[in-house]
Amino acid sequence: MGRLQRFENRLEQMISGAFARTFRSAVEPVEIAASLQREVDNSAQILSRDRRLAPNQFHVELSPADSERLQPYGSTLARELTDMLHDHAEEHSYVFTGPVHITFESSEDLTTGRFRVRSQALASVTPTAGAASETSVQSAVAFLEVNGVRHPLQPPGLVIGRGTEADLRVADPGVSRRHVEIRVEHDQAGGMPHLSAIDLGSTNGMVVDGERTQHARLSDGSHVKVGNTTMTVRAVRSPGRTSGGRSHV
């Protein structure tokens, strides 16, 4: 029995056929499962001979009618689809950068029975104890935005990597244990802080604003990519600093 057939059988057993009756003549759960597997296969990136990086965040867009029918069973379906993707990943030597999340959304431009899947690979990011305390956030001279979460930057800066010794741990297989250091220095004139990124001899290097480099000055809005994770610098103006004069880092 194939994986998709086992997936469908489990769903029917858990909800006594109610799901199948609800989705008659509309989107079938097994179709969503097959589409998610194809999305993983098509999006996987080669890490090594034996490992490929797979997306771990999935958004399934459905028509308003199908989305309404799905709502009572959304959590059950998401759980079963997640288990199915883990089995698929193990069989094909895929590596997820973080927990697998599947969400369902309604899209007005889709008709009944039609759906689409979007995906992305988002690594889990963990600061060291106290790094994101209320005090450090309030007094931060800059922030590093990773996967929608801001992490405060304070002089002298922080080390980013996959290992336990890093100040900001990024669970990305393409990130070294100590990958890059973000250095932070106060501006003596009270302007924007001086920020820079230094590669710490990582295996895969770093890319700053689209250019591969080992050392780069950073400014508000700079993008630093390590492995498959992109971080954005958000500088904070010092108190009393007006927006009339443009400052460069």
Side-chain angles (χ1 to χ4, degrees), residues 73-95:
Y73 313 104
S75 59
T76 299
L77 179 57
R79 184 169 58 251
E80 287 299 311
L81 287 169
T82 298
D83 291 343
M84 181 271 299
L85 286 179
H86 278 292
D87 292 341
H88 186 65
E90 184 176 357
E91 181 178 329
H92 292 81
S93 299
Y94 295 143
V95 177

Side-chain angles (χ1 to χ4, degrees), residues 180-193:
V180 65
E181 180 182 1
I182 305 296
R183 292 183 182 173
V184 183
E185 300 175 82
H186 278 300
D187 185 289
Q188 298 302 319
M192 300 290 279

Side-chain angles (χ1 to χ4, degrees), residues 155-228:
L158 54 77
V159 172
I160 300 164
R162 188 166 42 85
T164 56
E165 65 271 29
D167 300 308
L168 193 64
R169 296 180 62 189
V170 180
D172 184 330
V175 172
S176 297
R177 296 183 63 82
R178 286 171 52 87
H179 197 114
V180 65
E181 180 182 1
I182 305 296
R183 292 183 182 173
V184 183
E185 300 175 82
H186 278 300
D187 185 289
Q188 298 302 319
M192 300 290 279
H194 293 290
L195 305 169
S196 59
I198 298 92
D199 188 281
L200 300 177
S202 66
T203 301
N204 296 316
M206 73 172 179
V207 176
V208 177
D209 293 330
E211 295 187 10
R212 185 169 292 275
T213 181
Q214 292 185 322
H215 186 186
R217 294 293 296 271
L218 304 174
S219 59
D220 184 29
S222 288
H223 299 292
V224 181
K225 184 176 181 180
V226 293
N228 292 276

